Amino acid sequence: EVQLVQSGAEVKKPGEALKISCKGSGYRFTTYWIGWVRQMPGKGLEWMGIIYPSNSDTRYSPSFEGQVTISADKSIDTAYLQWSSLKASDTAMYYCARQYSSSDAMDVWGQGTTVIVSS
Amino acid sequence: DIQMTQSPSSVSASVGDRVTITCRASQGIRSWLAWYQQKPGKAPKLLIYAASNLQSGVPSRFSGSGSGTDFTLTISSLQPEDLATYYCQHANTFPFTFGPGTKVDIK
Protein backbone atom coordinates (compact mmCIF):
# COMPACT_ATOMS: atom_id res chain seq x y z
CA GLU A 1 0.00 0.00 0.00
CA VAL A 2 1.29 3.43 -0.93
CA GLN A 3 1.25 5.75 2.06
CA LEU A 4 2.81 8.78 3.63
CA VAL A 5 3.01 8.67 7.42
CA GLN A 6 3.63 11.92 9.26
CA SER A 7 5.08 12.46 12.71
CA GLY A 8 2.84 13.16 15.66
CA ALA A 9 1.30 16.32 17.02
CA GLU A 10 3.58 18.93 18.54
CA VAL A 11 3.03 21.58 21.20
CA LYS A 12 5.79 24.16 21.30
CA LYS A 13 6.56 27.59 22.72
CA PRO A 14 7.28 30.67 20.58
CA GLY A 15 10.94 30.83 19.62
CA GLU A 16 11.48 27.07 19.77
CA ALA A 17 12.72 25.01 16.84
CA LEU A 18 10.79 22.14 15.27
CA LYS A 19 11.24 19.52 12.58
CA ILE A 20 8.33 17.35 11.46
CA SER A 21 8.60 14.36 9.16
CA CYS A 22 6.81 12.53 6.37
CA LYS A 23 7.84 8.94 5.61
CA GLY A 24 6.91 7.31 2.34
CA SER A 25 6.34 3.61 1.80
CA GLY A 26 4.98 1.30 -0.87
CA TYR A 27 6.54 3.20 -3.76
CA ARG A 28 9.91 4.38 -5.06
CA PHE A 29 10.41 7.48 -2.90
CA THR A 30 13.01 9.12 -5.14
CA THR A 31 10.75 9.22 -8.20
CA TYR A 32 8.07 11.49 -6.69
CA TRP A 33 8.10 15.05 -5.46
CA ILE A 34 6.93 15.66 -1.88
CA GLY A 35 5.00 18.85 -1.22
CA TRP A 36 3.96 20.52 2.04
CA VAL A 37 0.60 22.22 2.60
CA ARG A 38 -0.50 24.37 5.54
CA GLN A 39 -4.03 24.62 6.85
CA MET A 40 -4.59 27.14 9.61
CA PRO A 41 -7.56 26.54 11.92
CA GLY A 42 -10.81 26.96 10.01
CA LYS A 43 -9.01 28.12 6.86
CA GLY A 44 -8.13 26.84 3.40
CA LEU A 45 -5.14 25.02 1.96
CA GLU A 46 -1.87 26.87 1.36
CA TRP A 47 0.91 25.43 -0.78
CA MET A 48 4.22 25.91 1.04
CA GLY A 49 6.82 24.24 -1.12
CA ILE A 50 8.06 21.03 -2.66
CA ILE A 51 11.16 18.85 -2.84
CA TYR A 52 12.41 16.18 -5.22
CA PRO A 53 14.18 13.73 -2.91
CA SER A 54 16.36 12.26 -5.65
CA ASN A 55 18.43 15.45 -6.01
CA SER A 56 16.95 17.68 -3.27
CA ASP A 57 15.67 20.22 -5.82
CA THR A 58 13.48 22.43 -3.60
CA ARG A 59 10.99 25.18 -4.46
CA TYR A 60 9.17 27.46 -2.04
CA SER A 61 6.13 29.64 -2.16
CA PRO A 62 7.26 33.27 -1.71
CA SER A 63 4.95 33.37 1.33
CA PHE A 64 7.03 30.71 3.07
CA GLU A 65 10.54 31.20 1.71
CA GLY A 66 12.87 32.04 4.56
CA GLN A 67 10.25 31.02 7.14
CA VAL A 68 10.63 27.25 6.83
CA THR A 69 13.11 24.73 5.44
CA ILE A 70 12.12 21.69 3.41
CA SER A 71 14.56 18.79 3.21
CA ALA A 72 14.66 15.08 2.55
CA ASP A 73 16.75 12.03 3.42
CA LYS A 74 16.36 9.60 0.56
CA SER A 75 18.22 6.88 2.46
CA ILE A 76 15.24 6.57 4.81
CA ASP A 77 12.47 7.71 2.42
CA THR A 78 11.62 10.70 4.59
CA ALA A 79 10.91 14.36 3.92
CA TYR A 80 11.02 17.10 6.54
CA LEU A 81 9.59 20.52 7.28
CA GLN A 82 11.41 22.57 9.86
CA TRP A 83 11.28 25.89 11.65
CA SER A 84 14.20 27.54 13.45
CA SER A 85 12.03 29.85 15.55
CA LEU A 86 8.31 29.19 15.81
CA LYS A 87 5.66 31.88 16.07
CA ALA A 88 2.11 31.62 17.37
CA SER A 89 0.97 32.16 13.78
CA ASP A 90 2.60 28.83 12.81
CA THR A 91 -0.21 27.05 14.65
CA ALA A 92 -1.80 24.89 11.98
CA MET A 93 -2.22 21.46 10.48
CA TYR A 94 0.57 20.55 8.08
CA TYR A 95 0.14 17.97 5.35
CA CYS A 96 2.68 16.32 3.09
CA ALA A 97 1.64 14.87 -0.26
CA ARG A 98 3.41 13.30 -3.22
CA GLN A 99 3.20 14.14 -6.89
CA TYR A 100 4.79 12.32 -9.80
CA SER A 101 6.04 15.26 -11.80
CA SER A 102 6.32 19.00 -11.31
CA SER A 103 3.11 19.48 -13.33
CA ASP A 104 1.13 16.73 -11.71
CA ALA A 105 -1.45 16.60 -8.93
CA MET A 106 -0.94 15.50 -5.32
CA ASP A 107 -2.30 11.98 -5.40
CA VAL A 108 -1.36 10.58 -1.97
CA TRP A 109 -1.54 12.62 1.22
CA GLY A 110 -0.21 12.12 4.72
CA GLN A 111 -2.59 12.16 7.66
CA GLY A 112 -1.41 15.58 8.77
CA THR A 113 0.64 16.88 11.72
CA THR A 114 -0.91 19.36 14.13
CA VAL A 115 1.49 22.02 15.35
CA ILE A 116 0.40 24.24 18.24
CA VAL A 117 2.60 27.16 19.25
CA SER A 118 1.58 28.75 22.52
CA SER A 119 3.29 30.37 25.46
CA ASP B 1 2.34 34.16 -8.97
CA ILE B 2 -0.85 32.72 -10.40
CA GLN B 3 -3.94 33.46 -8.29
CA MET B 4 -6.90 31.07 -8.13
CA THR B 5 -10.49 32.07 -7.42
CA GLN B 6 -13.51 29.84 -6.88
CA SER B 7 -17.24 30.41 -6.99
CA PRO B 8 -19.47 30.06 -5.19
CA SER B 9 -17.78 30.11 -1.78
CA SER B 10 -20.54 27.84 -0.51
CA VAL B 11 -23.51 25.97 -1.93
CA SER B 12 -26.38 24.12 -0.32
CA ALA B 13 -28.12 21.51 -2.44
CA SER B 14 -30.42 18.52 -2.10
CA VAL B 15 -29.49 14.89 -2.59
CA GLY B 16 -29.67 14.13 -6.30
CA ASP B 17 -29.05 17.72 -7.41
CA ARG B 18 -26.41 18.67 -9.94
CA VAL B 19 -23.74 20.90 -8.38
CA THR B 20 -21.24 22.98 -10.37
CA ILE B 21 -18.19 24.73 -8.94
CA THR B 22 -16.11 27.15 -10.97
CA CYS B 23 -12.38 27.85 -10.66
CA ARG B 24 -10.58 30.65 -12.46
CA ALA B 25 -6.83 31.22 -12.82
CA SER B 26 -5.34 34.72 -13.09
CA GLN B 27 -3.42 33.61 -16.16
CA GLY B 28 -3.47 30.63 -18.51
CA ILE B 29 -2.48 27.32 -16.95
CA ARG B 30 -3.23 25.04 -19.91
CA SER B 31 -4.83 21.95 -18.34
CA TRP B 32 -2.66 21.83 -15.19
CA LEU B 33 -5.56 21.97 -12.78
CA ALA B 34 -6.55 19.55 -10.03
CA TRP B 35 -9.60 19.29 -7.80
CA TYR B 36 -9.50 18.03 -4.21
CA GLN B 37 -12.20 17.09 -1.74
CA GLN B 38 -11.64 17.66 1.97
CA LYS B 39 -14.13 16.23 4.44
CA PRO B 40 -14.24 17.67 7.97
CA GLY B 41 -11.25 16.56 10.03
CA LYS B 42 -9.66 14.65 7.16
CA ALA B 43 -6.77 15.11 4.75
CA PRO B 44 -7.60 16.32 1.24
CA LYS B 45 -8.29 13.70 -1.43
CA LEU B 46 -7.51 14.03 -5.12
CA LEU B 47 -10.63 13.86 -7.32
CA ILE B 48 -9.59 15.20 -10.74
CA TYR B 49 -6.17 15.79 -12.30
CA ALA B 50 -5.13 17.53 -15.50
CA ALA B 51 -8.49 19.33 -15.53
CA SER B 52 -10.65 16.42 -16.64
CA ASN B 53 -9.10 13.10 -15.60
CA LEU B 54 -10.90 11.17 -12.88
CA GLN B 55 -8.55 9.81 -10.22
CA SER B 56 -8.76 6.04 -9.74
CA GLY B 57 -11.47 5.04 -7.27
CA VAL B 58 -13.37 8.32 -7.47
CA PRO B 59 -17.09 7.95 -8.27
CA SER B 60 -18.08 8.79 -11.83
CA ARG B 61 -20.60 11.41 -10.65
CA PHE B 62 -17.57 13.72 -10.33
CA SER B 63 -16.27 15.30 -13.53
CA GLY B 64 -14.01 18.17 -14.49
CA SER B 65 -13.67 20.35 -17.55
CA GLY B 66 -11.93 23.45 -18.83
CA SER B 67 -8.57 24.71 -19.99
CA GLY B 68 -6.67 27.97 -20.04
CA THR B 69 -8.16 30.08 -17.25
CA ASP B 70 -11.66 28.69 -16.62
CA PHE B 71 -12.46 25.31 -15.09
CA THR B 72 -15.47 23.51 -13.69
CA LEU B 73 -16.04 20.67 -11.24
CA THR B 74 -19.45 19.02 -11.56
CA ILE B 75 -21.15 16.60 -9.20
CA SER B 76 -23.90 15.12 -11.38
CA SER B 77 -26.05 13.75 -8.56
CA LEU B 78 -25.16 14.97 -5.09
CA GLN B 79 -24.89 12.30 -2.40
CA PRO B 80 -24.86 12.72 1.40
CA GLU B 81 -21.21 11.65 1.55
CA ASP B 82 -20.24 14.55 -0.75
CA LEU B 83 -20.53 16.98 2.19
CA ALA B 84 -17.08 18.58 2.03
CA THR B 85 -15.02 21.54 0.94
CA TYR B 86 -13.67 21.42 -2.60
CA TYR B 87 -10.43 23.07 -3.67
CA CYS B 88 -8.87 23.66 -7.05
CA GLN B 89 -5.08 23.90 -7.45
CA HIS B 90 -2.95 24.73 -10.45
CA ALA B 91 0.33 22.97 -11.31
CA ASN B 92 1.48 25.17 -14.18
CA THR B 93 4.44 26.95 -12.62
CA PHE B 94 5.74 27.20 -9.05
CA PRO B 95 4.16 28.10 -6.63
CA PHE B 96 1.19 25.76 -7.06
CA THR B 97 -1.51 27.83 -5.40
CA PHE B 98 -4.89 26.55 -4.23
CA GLY B 99 -8.22 28.24 -4.65
CA PRO B 100 -10.02 29.46 -1.50
CA GLY B 101 -12.40 26.50 -1.46
CA THR B 102 -16.11 25.87 -1.96
CA LYS B 103 -18.10 24.38 0.90
CA VAL B 104 -20.86 22.01 -0.19
CA ASP B 105 -23.72 21.43 2.25
CA ILE B 106 -26.62 19.05 1.97
CA LYS B 107 -30.08 20.61 2.39
Side-chain angles (χ1 to χ4, degrees):
Chain A
E1 179 193 5
V2 174
Q3 56 180 352
L4 295 172
V5 178
Q6 298 186 229
S7 50
E10 302 275 1
V11 180
K12 291 288 191 180
K13 290 183 169 27
E16 291 187 331
L18 175 64
K19 191 173 189 178
I20 62 175
S21 66
C22 169
K23 183 173 175 60
S25 62
Y27 73 100
R28 193 170 172 188
F29 188 73
T30 52
T31 60
Y32 284 77
W33 295 77
I34 295 286
W36 288 94
V37 176
R38 183 175 79 174
Q39 188 167 39
M40 299 176 77
K43 303 298 184 182
L45 305 175
E46 298 175 90
W47 190 87
M48 301 176 71
I50 198 167
I51 188 166
Y52 192 62
S54 178
N55 61 8
S56 292
D57 184 6
T58 307
R59 312 298 176 93
Y60 293 93
S61 164
S63 300
F64 292 94
E65 183 132 36
Q67 309 305 307
V68 298
T69 301
I70 294 170
S71 60
D73 184 340
K74 61 184 179 182
S75 70
I76 55 171
D77 295 346
T78 302
Y80 301 98
L81 178 65
Q82 69 181 90
W83 296 258
S84 59
S85 180
L86 286 160
K87 309 178 189 67
S89 57
D90 293 317
T91 294
M93 176 73 83
Y94 294 88
Y95 295 102
C96 65
R98 75 167 197 177
Q99 63 186 75
Y100 183 64
S101 75
S102 61
S103 295
D104 210 345
M106 294 173 148
D107 68 338
V108 176
W109 291 66
Q111 83 277 20
T113 296
T114 298
V115 173
I116 297 172
V117 184
S118 174
S119 54
Chain B
D1 297 354
I2 297 171
Q3 306 304 314
M4 308 299 292
T5 57
Q6 287 182 235
S7 62
S9 57
S10 65
V11 57
S12 184
S14 299
V15 172
D17 282 355
R18 183 181 187 89
V19 173
T20 300
I21 299 168
T22 297
C23 175
R24 176 165 288 173
S26 60
Q27 63 190 74
I29 58 170
R30 296 172 285 175
S31 293
W32 301 123
L33 191 283
W35 290 97
Y36 301 90
Q37 175 193 64
Q38 187 179 33
K39 295 184 177 180
K42 300 294 187 182
K45 172 188 173 183
L46 176 63
L47 297 177
I48 302 285
Y49 63 95
S52 60
N53 294 276
L54 193 68
Q55 176 68 356
S56 176
V58 174
S60 59
R61 63 180 180 274
F62 291 94
S63 64
S65 64
S67 67
T69 59
D70 294 313
F71 301 86
T72 299
L73 173 70
T74 300
I75 309 173
S76 60
S77 177
L78 189 68
Q79 299 301 304
E81 60 266 32
D82 298 336
L83 167 74
T85 300
Y86 294 82
Y87 296 91
C88 61
Q89 182 204 23
H90 83 85
N92 188 63
T93 53
F94 296 119
F96 297 161
T97 46
F98 288 91
T102 295
K103 187 174 181 181
V104 175
D105 285 326
I106 310 295
K107 275 184 189 174

